[in-house]
Amino acid sequence: MIHVTEETKSGWRVLSVRGRADADAADVLEAALRAAIDQHPKVAADFSALDYVSSAGLRAVIQGARAAEARQVEFAVCSLSPNVRKVFDMSGLHHILRIHGELPC
Amino acid sequence: MKDTPGVWHNQAIPYRAEFSLNGDLSELERLTAVVAQFCTGCALDDAAEFELNLVLEELFVNSLRHGGCEGMRDCAQVRMRCAANGVEVEYRDRGRPFDPTSAPNVNIHAPLAERSDGGMGIHLVRGIMRELRYEREGEWNRVTMLRPVATNRKG
């Protein structure tokens, strides 16, 4: 189960993601990221309340990053828990994403 | 065990869990619940629970998406046992033959545009687990592995 809420802060569209980004929920995450990226020049994914991510969730983030690159949208991933951060690092996503300790806004 | 996954314990018998999964993504919820119960029983920390959950999800989703297990009743069986050096895990499925120990490596240094959509799940399994072994037993794929836990017990 995953929940995404959105707000605008200092020019950034911030998506706060709560719950589990598993194979059953990854499509919801990807759709939310894509919709925000389609409409805003700066998008930040706040993962501070993301409890879990699998490769399906990573894929959703990668697709979001690709969409952002194609549209020249600034895309930032923020506030990963240690367990989630480890999965991002094992997958090499820290090489290709802007990962922040805190929200950039 | 089918509908009521078993986790039990006393001082003589180490913690074990054994359960079957039907070929439906909604089974992930039950998988998560059984892993949580097992980890509580073994006094394992959040990191161990997270990683066991992740490894089993990746193998199970692989069985559904690539092994032909979608819609199949009792398509996968999981056994976990808390041992002195870690959690011993056995994952079996009735999908097409697939050896995760010999799957191609993923290039984790590839730029965004060249990222492949496949292979990351097995990459994570191999990164987390030790002593991975695969064999084909009749119509079953069987993977055995160990998640070391020496430094991950609570308390």
Side-chain angles (χ1 to χ4, degrees):
Chain A
M1 189 71 78
I2 199 164
H3 297 283
V4 182
T5 56
E6 296 187 34
E7 62 182 327
T8 299
K9 284 184 188 172
S10 307
W12 285 83
R13 189 64 171 174
V14 178
L15 278 66
S16 299
V17 184
R18 176 178 299 277
R20 300 173 63 81
D22 62 12
D24 207 20
D27 288 349
V28 174
L29 176 59
E30 184 178 336
L33 291 173
R34 282 181 180 276
I37 287 160
D38 281 349
Q39 296 171 44
H40 301 277
K42 292 175 162 186
V43 174
D46 176 3
F47 285 158
S48 58
L50 184 68
D51 300 323
Y52 174 85
V53 68
S54 67
S55 67
L58 294 180
R59 200 170 301 120
V61 176
I62 290 171
Q63 295 296 358
R66 281 186 176 140
E69 192 172 73
R71 288 181 163 270
Q72 296 185 306
V73 167
E74 269 195 75
F75 178 56
V77 171
C78 317
S79 308
L80 307 182
S81 71
N83 287 334
V84 170
R85 174 81 205 208
K86 183 177 177 184
V87 178
F88 272 70
D89 289 350
M90 287 178 72
S91 307
L93 295 199
H94 55 301
H95 297 309
I96 56 174
L97 297 177
R98 286 179 61 191
I99 299 178
H100 298 254
E102 297 177 353
L103 286 170
C105 44
Chain B
M1 235 164 288
K2 302 294 189 290
D3 297 326
T4 52
V7 179
W8 64 92
H9 182 258
N10 67 31
Q11 288 188 332
I13 304 172
Y15 255 89
R16 297 169 191 270
E18 181 175 339
F19 56 101
S20 295
L21 295 166
N22 297 318
D24 191 297
L25 213 49
S26 66
E27 289 282 74
L28 287 177
E29 192 173 344
R30 193 161 62 87
L31 172 61
T32 300
V34 178
V35 169
Q37 188 183 6
F38 172 80
C39 289
T40 299
C42 291
L44 299 174
D45 71 1
D46 291 344
E49 179 180 334
F50 186 110
E51 291 181 7
L52 286 168
N53 202 153
L54 176 61
V55 163
L56 289 171
E57 175 186 331
E58 300 297 353
L59 292 172
F60 178 60
V61 170
N62 212 57
S63 303
L64 297 187
R65 300 254 164 94
H66 307 295
C69 289
E70 189 86 49
M72 194 185 290
R73 183 160 178 80
D74 296 331
C75 69
Q77 296 178 345
V78 179
R79 291 193 179 108
M80 294 183 288
R81 176 179 174 274
C82 217
N85 58 339
V87 178
E88 297 169 352
V89 180
E90 178 188 82
Y91 177 86
R92 303 170 80 228
D93 75 63
R94 291 193 285 140
R96 283 186 282 277
F98 174 68
D99 177 2
T101 67
S102 64
N105 288 326
V106 171
N107 179 9
I108 64 166
H109 300 289
L112 188 57
E114 294 171 20
R115 283 266 162 170
S116 161
D117 275 350
M120 191 55 73
I122 296 303
H123 169 79
L124 293 172
V125 171
R126 293 198 298 214
I128 291 167
M129 303 303 272
R130 298 289 175 267
E131 302 177 23
L132 258 81
R133 293 188 180 86
Y134 168 80
E135 58 187 330
R136 184 74 180 177
E137 288 181 336
E139 65 174 350
W140 293 87
N141 293 303
R142 178 173 181 264
V143 180
T144 58
M145 55 207 153
L146 177 78
R147 197 285 184 181
V149 295
T151 60
N152 289 111
R153 290 192 189 273
K154 282 179 178 167

